[in-house]
Amino acid sequence: MPDELSADLFAQYMRIARLLAGQLDFQSAIDAVAKEIKSMIPHDHMDVCIITPGSTFHTAYESGLATDWSKRPPASIQQSPLRSLLVGEVDRLITADASTDPIFHFEGAFSTPILENNLRSRLHAALKVHGETIGALSFSSLTPDFYTAHHLDRACSIADLIAPYFYALRAVEEAKHSAIVEAETRVREEALRQGARRLTEALDAERQRIGMELHDQTLADMTRLSRRLEKLSLMSSLHGEMLEPLTRSLQESMHDLRQIIEQARPSVLQLFGLVEAIETQIERSVRDSGVTFDWHLVDDTDGACNRLPQTVSLAIFRIAQEAINNAIRHSDGDRLDVHLTKDAHHLVLEIRDNGVGMKQKSGARGSGIENMRTRARLIAAQFSCGSDANGSYVRVRLAAPGEGERT
């Protein structure tokens, strides 16, 4: 039978209720009532585990001995030694020796803390609100056969008292988490919108640049060649040496046009893939700079780069292109290292030089860095850059493609 409410016992319950009032998180609530509860149920270890709403996981909050139960949150209910209580099969448990009781040691059970901390005699009472089990209150003693049915009744009474408080805390935590997720979603959407706007502006500027180059350079060359051809067509006879300047000018014009096309559309990327395109870009940038640069490219992705979608691959290439050009033109270094790596879930591109580091010019936010950051956002990648004692780096981290994905 539950405890009869004597004046002293009632006063203890009221003190627990007062101590819980105003506590804003689970651990603070446990710490606030631990001393009062220990005077009612002696213990070496106490914990409250709370089930995450709508999931099959729970989190433990401890007082007294610290175990791996609270150090590895959240934990699977199916692997909890209290599985039968947490899934609602029973409302209370008592054991004389948890180290040997099979109810705590089924296949897959995370019962190691019982053995490591010598938790022998144990009490467990369900935390229930509106008939729903939201968690469990547990007590452990290092002494075997320490707890009695009287202790278990008192544990159930305390569990009934504190359950509404922890239910309210759980609702607050859930609302807080939902608010954070919603805020993060809004921030991501706004960042994506702003990033898309900046990238659109950059693309418009690029189109204008290409248009001006075609107008001022290629079209002018074609007009000049056309007029020279017209003059030649009016001549009664032609000699080979008269066509030689025309041929040379046409070749130069074709070379200039090819450069414009290469800047607008990286054909190596389309033909040979991301790694080959980055390598070609490094060779071209070093050659055109006229400086001596020792560079190394390492691909440790085991072919994952070839499975990236075209849009993602192009964005990564453009980021690499910008970072490589910046390093060669502005770092004042003589070494460039490009490293592509992959773990179980992510692919990482890192470009590092041994130069003087990144310097932000006043009045210029660094459109190149902003463009790289924007391109990373548009493919849901993490972008970072900076300087350290070894020089400067640009790093992009994105989700690795699945084995079955195609470019």
Side-chain angles (χ1 to χ4, degrees), residues 244-300:
E244 193 275 332
L246 187 63
T247 302
R248 187 170 62 252
S249 296
L250 183 59
Q251 290 174 341
E252 291 173 354
S253 181
M254 290 169 60
H255 173 74
D256 293 339
L257 183 59
R258 188 175 291 110
Q259 283 190 319
I260 295 174
I261 293 173
E262 284 296 324
Q263 291 177 4
R265 181 174 61 88
S267 57
V268 176
L269 174 63
Q270 295 173 332
L271 293 174
F272 301 106
L274 180 61
V275 178
E276 186 75 20
I278 293 175
E279 184 175 11
T280 301
Q281 180 63 45
I282 299 172
E283 292 175 343
R284 179 183 300 164
S285 297
V286 171
R287 182 184 66 243
D288 294 347
S289 70
V291 299
T292 301
F293 238 89
D294 182 23
W295 61 270
H296 297 273
L297 171 65
V298 179
D299 174 20
D300 288 329

Side-chain angles (χ1 to χ4, degrees), residues 14 56 64 95 265 283 323-324 353 362 377:
M14 290 302 98
T56 58
T95 184
R265 181 174 61 88
E283 292 175 343
I324 291 165
D353 64 66
S362 59
R377 282 174 179 164

Side-chain angles (χ1 to χ4, degrees), residues 226-245:
S226 176
R227 289 174 180 170
R228 291 175 66 179
L229 281 171
E230 185 179 359
K231 289 181 179 180
L232 290 174
S233 68
L234 298 175
M235 298 179 65
S236 58
S237 61
L238 292 175
H239 302 286
E241 62 270 15
M242 299 172 65
L243 295 175
E244 193 275 332

